[in-house]
């Protein structure tokens, strides 16, 4: 596996900053992905003193590794919502993402972020998917989207039915983040990279925040951490971590025109992208619950073979993986928890549609913090039982599937070779005791409970865990 294909030259130039230890700010935003940066921007624009504390670097997790499609046609999500709940929930969800779509266009125009207009397609790669595609078409029409339907498409891969929504957007997610960073900094926000938040303590009208760079206090804390750190169970259990794979290919000859998402299982997503002046093919899919797949490298190999079959001569240049969280209630979570004071907030769970979801969630969060009436809602699921049913394939109790796990008494021990040295770690996840499994494609230990991930030597890479695996 490699780094994502996205052009490194467009990576955000974050002005070097130290955490102002012992300071007090209006809002501390934890995490510099799309959710954190959009929320920080909205708050900083109203004159609030805002700091973004990022454990790694801007966009280090999903936001810098996505496929870069900004579209309100999102596979068959609208019909799934209409069926699990009601057409009104689907309408609210669509309205929120339309708002997010406009925000993305506004930011691109204000910050000169390059983007391309492209049609979005939901397609059936098999006969079994045709009914789902037809249903998505009906629901889109009912919601007033200008969609058209196709029995097939002139593509190199099989299409048995498709819905098309014209005039959506594709872009380089790393350029998008760079534009956001400059907007946050120009609005007066401070971004501190390499600063992991490890503790929160509410006292009176303040939240005291422990970080690896020191302690400070805030009126409000926003956990824009994909899965809520330091909320030890309630909210994390509403989110199912889901990892999937993306590959980039050089190919002489025509590339697909449009952004394609299949309704089949395993799913496929395809589009072309301009990287370093060259047009490349992106192919993704083979997602699974984090920590549950044995042989993750085989999933990458499978994407490569699928592409070779349909695009002969395609040469794979990059392969990478990232994860997003699927809420069991099916709509993104925007929630406030902690004490009665309502000072600790979380947003996430975009089911891989956060480019338009995050700006909408940021609007909700910032309205909440600023004491304004909330105008954006992703919909209120009313029949949660049915939604849970619809999500049961994602939400099933994780099986203990392990790579090179050795039991030492009752303690599960992991062994890996790091820089030629054997390293042993205790595989009990420091978040809430899940047992991590080996991810051979990325050489990481992944927790199947809530998606925390650790390097081969145990260093925490992604939350909700905030500390490393114990070295043995
Ligand atoms: C393979 C893939 C393809 C995708 N493609 C698309 C697409 O085409 N279109 C679309 O709309 N969406 C897409 N998505 C979804 C989208 O990328 C995500 O929904 C979105 O980026 C989530 O943003 P976020 O800011 O909430 O989370 P993240 O980007 O995960 O950011 C969370 C940040 O919090 C930081 N953090 C965590 N813990 C701490 C801590 N303790 N202290 C400080 N910082 C911390 C992390 O380091 C990270 O930078 C895709 C997702 C995946 C996985
Ligand atoms: S991520 Fe919660 S127990 Fe591992």
């Amino acid at each position: 596996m490699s780094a994502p294909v996205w052009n490194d030259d467009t990576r955000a130039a974050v002005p070097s900053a130290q955490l102002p230890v012992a300071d007090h700010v209006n809002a501390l935003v934890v995490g510099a992905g799309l959710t954190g940066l959009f929320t920080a921007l909205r708050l900083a624009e109203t004159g609030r003193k805002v700091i973004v504390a990022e454990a790694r670097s801007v966009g280090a997790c999903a936001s810098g590794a996505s496929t870069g499609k900004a579209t309100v046609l999102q596979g068959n999500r609208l019909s799934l919502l209409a069926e699990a709940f009601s057409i009104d929930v689907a309408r609210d969800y669509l309205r929120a993402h339309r708002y997010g779509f406009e925000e993305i266009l506004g930011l691109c125009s204000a910050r000169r972020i390059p983007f391309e207009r492209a049609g979005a397609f939901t397609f059936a790669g098999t006969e079994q998917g045709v009914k789902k595609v037809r249903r998505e078409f009906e629901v889109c029409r009912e919601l007033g989207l200008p969609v058209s339907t196709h029995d097939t498409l002139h593509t190199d891969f099989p299409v048995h039915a498709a819905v098309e929504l014209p005039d959506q957007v594709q872009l380089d997610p790393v350029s998008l983040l760079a534009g956001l960073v400059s907007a946050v900094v120009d609005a007066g926000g401070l971004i501190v990279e390499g600063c992991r938040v490890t503790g929160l303590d509410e006292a009176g009208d303040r939240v005291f925040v422990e970080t690896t760079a020191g302690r400070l206090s805030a009126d409000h804390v926003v956990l824009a951490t994909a899965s809520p750190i330091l909320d030890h169970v309630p909210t994390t259990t509403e989110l199912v971590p889901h990892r999937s794979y993306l590959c980039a290919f050089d190919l002489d000859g025509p590339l697909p025109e449009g952004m394609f998402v299949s309704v089949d299982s395993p799913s496929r997503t395809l589009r072309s992208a301009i990287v370093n002046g060259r047009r490349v093919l992106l192919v993704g899919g083979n997602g699974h619950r984090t920590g549950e797949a044995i042989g993750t490298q085989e999933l990458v190999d499978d994407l490569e073979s699928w592409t070779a079959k349909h695009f002969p001569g395609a040469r794979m240049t990059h392969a990478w993986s990232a994860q997003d969280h699927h809420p069991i209630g099916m709509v993104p979570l925007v929630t406030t928890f902690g004490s009665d004071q309502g000072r600790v907030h979380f947003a996430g769970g975009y089911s891989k549609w956060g480019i338009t979801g995050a700006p909408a969630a940021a609007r909700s969060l910032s309205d909440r913090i600023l004491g304004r009436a909330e105008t954006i809602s992703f919909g209120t699921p009313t029949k949660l039982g049915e939604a849970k049913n619809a999500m049961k394939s994602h939400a099933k109790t994780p099986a203990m599937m392990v790579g090179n796990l050795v039991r030492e008494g009752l303690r599960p021990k992991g062994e890996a070779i790091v820089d030629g040295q054997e390293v042993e770690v205790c595989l009990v996840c420091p978040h809430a005791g899940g047992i991590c499994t080996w991810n051979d494609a990325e050489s990481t230990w992944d927790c199947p409970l809530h998606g925390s991930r650790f390097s081969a030597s145990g260093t925490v890479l992604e939350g909700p865990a905030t500390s490393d695996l114990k070295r043995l």
Side-chain angles (χ1 to χ4, degrees), residues 30-31 33-35 53-55 60-63 66-69 195-197 224-226 229 244 246 322-324 350 352-356 466:
V30 190
L34 291 171
T35 305
E54 165 56 49
C61 294
S63 297
S66 81
T67 328
K69 306 183 298 292
C195 172
R196 187 171 291 280
V197 169
T225 46
I229 58 163
S244 54
L246 283 167
Q323 76 191 30
D324 203 1
Y350 306 112
K352 300 200 181 103
W353 294 107
I355 294 183
T356 47
T466 55

Side-chain angles (χ1 to χ4, degrees), residues 186-203:
D186 288 353
L190 183 72
I191 301 170
V192 185
E193 295 184 305
C195 172
R196 187 171 291 280
V197 169
T198 53
L200 297 177
D201 179 19
E202 285 187 70

Side-chain angles (χ1 to χ4, degrees), residues 66-381:
S66 81
T67 328
K69 306 183 298 292
T71 167
V72 299
L73 178 66
Q74 304 177 346
N76 61 335
R77 186 134 290 266
L78 292 172
S79 52
L80 283 175
L81 288 172
E83 267 152 34
F85 306 115
S86 65
I87 192 73
D88 290 334
V89 172
R91 188 173 286 110
D92 284 346
Y93 179 90
L94 174 61
R95 196 181 296 128
H97 280 271
R98 273 183 151 156
Y99 169 85
F101 183 82
E102 293 304 324
E103 287 285 287
I104 293 291
L105 283 183
L107 185 79
C108 288
S109 142
R111 295 280 150 182
R112 301 214 171 113
I113 303 166
F115 68 89
E116 294 179 274
R117 288 286 187 172
F121 293 84
T122 295
F123 74 95
T126 59
E127 277 299 335
Q128 290 89 313
V130 171
K131 219 167 123 189
K132 289 185 192 168
V133 170
R134 301 260 185 267
R135 182 71 190 125
E136 184 67 13
F137 175 70
E138 285 161 18
V139 170
C140 287
R141 287 300 282 261
E142 193 175 345
L143 293 171
L145 284 174
V147 284
S148 50
T149 180
H150 305 271
D151 290 332
T152 188
L153 295 171
H154 298 292
T155 50
D156 297 285
F157 49 93
V159 170
H160 294 261
V163 182
E164 176 184 3
L165 178 66
D167 228 12
Q168 302 302 288
V169 160
Q170 55 183 24
L171 41 59
D172 171 346
V174 173
S175 309
L176 176 66
L177 287 163
L180 256 176
V181 164
S182 64
V184 170
V185 171
D186 288 353
L190 183 72
I191 301 170
V192 185
E193 295 184 305
C195 172
R196 187 171 291 280
V197 169
T198 53
L200 297 177
D201 179 19
E202 285 187 70
D205 57 0
R206 288 183 174 202
V207 188
F208 291 88
V209 184
E210 292 293 343
T211 82
T212 47
R215 185 175 156 95
L216 78 171
S217 64
D219 296 332
H220 288 270
V221 172
V222 175
L223 303 177
T225 46
S227 176
I229 58 163
L230 306 167
D231 162 62
H232 278 294
V233 172
T235 310
T236 40
T237 53
E238 289 179 44
L239 294 165
V240 180
H242 206 256
R243 213 152 174 83
S244 54
Y245 302 84
L246 283 167
C247 304
F249 298 86
D250 270 339
L251 180 64
D252 306 319
L255 293 176
E257 286 179 26
M259 304 180 287
F260 300 83
V261 175
S262 78
V263 295
D264 310 287
S265 183
S267 66
R268 288 289 176 263
T269 175
L270 296 98
R271 80 167 179 97
S272 75
I274 300 172
V275 182
N276 289 325
R278 275 181 67 78
R279 199 166 269 286
V280 302
L281 171 67
L282 301 184
V283 179
N286 284 354
H288 57 84
R289 184 175 179 137
T290 302
E292 272 208 341
I294 296 180
T296 45
Q297 184 56 44
E298 281 172 28
L299 300 173
V300 181
D301 297 344
D302 177 64
L303 278 180
E304 190 176 11
S305 323
W306 187 89
T307 309
K309 182 170 163 200
H310 299 295
F311 298 89
R315 298 169 300 282
M316 191 163 92
T317 59
H318 295 73
W320 70 100
S321 176
Q323 76 191 30
D324 203 1
H325 295 256
H326 293 248
I328 54 174
M330 290 178 73
V331 295
L333 291 181
V334 180
T335 184
T336 296
F337 44 63
S339 73
D340 297 345
Q341 301 270 339
R343 295 181 180 279
V344 181
H345 315 268
F346 167 76
Y350 306 112
S351 308
K352 300 200 181 103
W353 294 107
I355 294 183
T356 47
R363 170 69 193 261
S364 248
L365 285 172
S366 53
D367 282 347
R368 216 172 263 200
I369 291 169
L370 296 169
R372 296 178 179 164
E374 277 178 57
T375 47
I376 297 286
S377 157
F378 287 99
T380 312

Side-chain angles (χ1 to χ4, degrees), residues 429 431-434 447 449-452 464:
C429 174
H431 174 241
C447 179
L449 282 194
H450 315 112
S452 291

